[in-house]
């Protein structure tokens, strides 16, 4: 690779190609991939972060941003990240669940009452516990401050979801993660796991009736074009671990590693604020696009999950240590 070549040849020995000045030739060319549109705050902040890192490393680290599954869907990108074909990606902890089962714990239905609980847990002991599990893969790792996706809401084209019964028979796309399938089975829907890359066309062609995502995604991915109802279920909080390939990251000298690490954390804080603002403010815009929006009461949903054995099942799967770390922040769940 170019990186290896540079390492062995030394930067001074680099030949200059036509139209490529020394200043434009980074020593470390790195790639970041995500599943979201370029207009979503996650990518807006990824682009800003990449320029800041380039500036602070005096051009030595150049991170190229690939939004909206340009490098493949989440499953593809995760394999690339593990093999070293990709340097960085953002991924939902629940999708990571197929590789690191304990990572899914933030997705327990109706666990976090509010953002205060979310950040206390994810920036505290629960997040640290999950990052240790991710590091145990030996090939990939997650940076400290998880980026935000938000509380997830159900959209569909059949009827507004007011109570669990309304989900009966609804063919609902979920991301590919065991927790999602379990949650929506327990709620009585017919969950169909699909990568986000396939969601718009699956909704458009009516392969599925609905999906669930935070409003910022429903808006930036234009899902309102192919969905009629949006029900504010807030059934789970979801984030994005900013992850790296361990071996590739360790090829950076420590001072450059430190610049990247600090920028991922600082960008996370700004990204969280922007995602929150969007998720809190988009109802009016989505109504203007023709969506019917309804509020829901979480109690009957929680009760349905309890009756279906959802909480006891996942408590047993996660085990005492992880579950008590979760309940430390959320209060008693099961
Ligand atoms: O796949 C989804 O629905 C998304 C975009 O929310 C995730 O990355 C989990």
């Amino acid at each position: 690779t170019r990186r290896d070549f540079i390492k062995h040849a030394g930067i001074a020995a680099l030949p200059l190609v036509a139209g490529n000045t020394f200043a434009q030739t980074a020593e470390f060319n790195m790639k970041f991939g995500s599943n979201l549109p370029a207009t979503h705050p996650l990518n807006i902040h990824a682009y800003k972060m990449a320029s800041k890192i380039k500036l602070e490393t005096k051009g030595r680290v150049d991170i190229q941003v690939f939004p909206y599954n340009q490098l493949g869907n989440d499953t593809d990108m995760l394999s690339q990240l593990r093999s070293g074909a990709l340097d960085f990606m953002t991924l939902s902890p629940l999708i990571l669940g197929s590789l690191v089962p304990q990572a899914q714990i933030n997705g327990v239905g109706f666990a976090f009452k509010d953002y205060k609980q979310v950040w206390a847990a994810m920036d505290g002991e629960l997040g640290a516990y999950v990052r240790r599990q991710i590091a145990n893969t030996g090939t990939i790792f997650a940076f400290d401050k998880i980026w935000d996706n938000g509380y997830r809401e159900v959209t569909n084209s059949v009827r507004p979801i007011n109570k669990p019964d309304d989900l009966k028979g609804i063919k609902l796309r979920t991301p590919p993660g065991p927790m999602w399938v379990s949650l929506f089975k327990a709620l009585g829907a017919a969950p169909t796991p699909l990568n986000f890359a396939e969601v718009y066309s699956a909704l458009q062609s009516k392969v599925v009736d609905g999906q669930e995502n935070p409003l910022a995604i429903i808006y930036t991915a234009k899902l309102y074009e192919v969905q009629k109802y949006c029900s504010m279920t807030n059934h789970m909080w979801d984030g994005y671990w900013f992850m790296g390939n361990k071996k590739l990251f360790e090829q950076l000298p420590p001072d450059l590693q430190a610049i990247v690490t600090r920028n991922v954390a600082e960008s996370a804080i700004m990204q969280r604020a922007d995602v929150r603002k969007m998720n809190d403010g988009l109802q009016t815009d989505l109504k203007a696009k023709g969506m019917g929006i309804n509020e829901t009461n979480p109690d009957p949903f929680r009760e349905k999950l309890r009756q279906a054995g959802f909480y006891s099942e996942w408590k047993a799967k996660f085990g005492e240590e992880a579950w008590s770390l979760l309940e430390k922040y959320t209060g008693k769940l099961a």
Side-chain angles (χ1 to χ4, degrees):
T1 65
R2 183 166 187 81
R3 197 196 319 250
D4 292 330
F5 170 76
I6 290 166
K7 236 171 81 180
H8 297 300
I11 191 86
L14 259 188
L16 294 181
V17 238
N20 197 358
T21 67
F22 181 83
Q24 289 167 328
T25 309
E27 194 177 341
F28 299 96
N29 287 294
M30 305 181 94
K31 286 186 290 188
F32 161 77
S34 93
N35 65 4
L36 293 181
T39 50
H40 187 281
L42 180 136
N43 283 314
I44 292 175
H45 284 282
Y47 283 115
K48 278 190 190 168
M49 184 178 86
S51 347
K52 241 186 121 223
I53 289 172
K54 195 169 179 186
L55 202 71
E56 289 184 26
T57 61
K58 302 189 172 40
R60 293 176 72 193
V61 177
D62 190 345
I63 302 175
Q64 209 182 336
V65 176
F66 294 90
Y68 224 3
N69 302 295
Q70 279 175 12
L71 299 177
N73 64 35
D74 281 329
T75 309
D76 300 329
M77 284 193 284
L78 181 57
S79 322
Q80 292 164 16
L81 188 79
R82 293 171 71 190
S83 73
L86 179 59
D87 300 272
F88 304 110
M89 79 177 288
T90 42
L91 186 65
S92 161
L94 280 76
I95 298 180
L96 187 58
S98 52
L99 179 68
V100 184
Q102 303 297 83
Q104 304 175 79
I105 194 153
N106 66 272
V108 170
F110 303 95
F112 295 112
K113 286 6 142 255
D114 52 37
Y115 265 108
K116 224 177 128 200
Q117 289 187 354
V118 169
W119 301 133
M122 301 312 289
D123 291 342
E125 286 174 66
L126 187 70
Y129 168 83
V130 170
R131 286 192 301 277
R132 281 198 301 277
Q133 307 293 316
I134 299 172
N136 282 343
T137 60
T139 51
I140 59 172
F141 69 98
F143 287 92
D144 266 8
K145 292 252 186 294
I146 194 166
W147 290 31
D148 196 11
N149 188 347
Y151 281 90
R152 302 180 75 93
E153 327 291 358
V154 175
T155 70
N156 80 99
S157 293
V158 180
R159 56 181 166 257
I161 307 302
N162 286 291
K163 51 188 191 307
D165 257 8
D166 297 330
L167 281 168
K168 211 176 263 170
I170 300 279
K171 218 168 161 201
L172 193 82
R173 174 271 170 175
T174 70
M179 171 77 75
W180 267 296
V181 176
S182 157
L183 180 79
F184 281 99
K185 256 191 199 149
L187 288 174
T192 307
L194 282 176
N195 272 295
F196 190 64
E198 290 138 54
V199 168
Y200 187 96
S201 65
L203 294 169
Q204 190 176 38
S205 63
K206 305 211 184 305
V207 167
V208 292
D209 302 312
Q211 64 86 46
E212 44 81 62
N213 252 306
L215 299 191
I217 289 183
I218 297 168
Y219 190 79
T220 55
K222 299 185 169 22
L223 301 185
Y224 53 80
E225 293 177 349
V226 287
Q227 293 281 269
K228 187 82 198 86
Y229 306 105
C230 179
S231 305
M232 302 297 291
T233 47
N234 295 308
H235 51 274
M236 71 165 71
W237 173 82
D238 194 22
Y240 279 103
W241 285 119
F242 202 103
M243 297 198 299
N245 174 284
K246 185 170 185 281
K247 222 159 122 193
L248 293 177
F249 189 63
E250 286 173 354
Q251 285 181 11
L252 296 183
D255 58 324
L256 299 188
Q257 285 185 28
I259 290 175
V260 173
T261 301
R262 176 173 44 73
N263 272 289
V264 172
E266 286 174 3
S267 302
I269 301 304
M270 296 184 277
Q271 190 266 358
R272 289 175 183 181
D274 284 355
V275 168
R276 178 94 186 261
K277 226 182 288 160
M278 265 187 114
N279 284 338
D280 286 350
L282 277 173
Q283 286 198 25
T284 317
D285 306 72
L286 288 169
K287 275 182 201 156
K289 300 285 188 192
M291 288 198 104
I293 301 194
N294 68 285
E295 298 297 326
T296 67
N297 174 2
D299 296 340
F301 290 91
R302 232 186 250 120
E303 190 46 39
K304 174 98 183 185
L305 288 181
R306 212 169 278 133
Q307 281 168 14
F310 174 85
Y311 293 105
S312 46
E313 180 193 327
W314 282 96
K315 182 180 178 176
K317 274 191 186 147
F318 284 121
E320 254 326 307
E321 188 192 359
W323 195 264
S324 59
L325 276 178
L326 174 63
E327 285 189 334
K328 181 179 165 176
Y329 298 96
T330 62
K332 200 97 186 110
L333 295 169

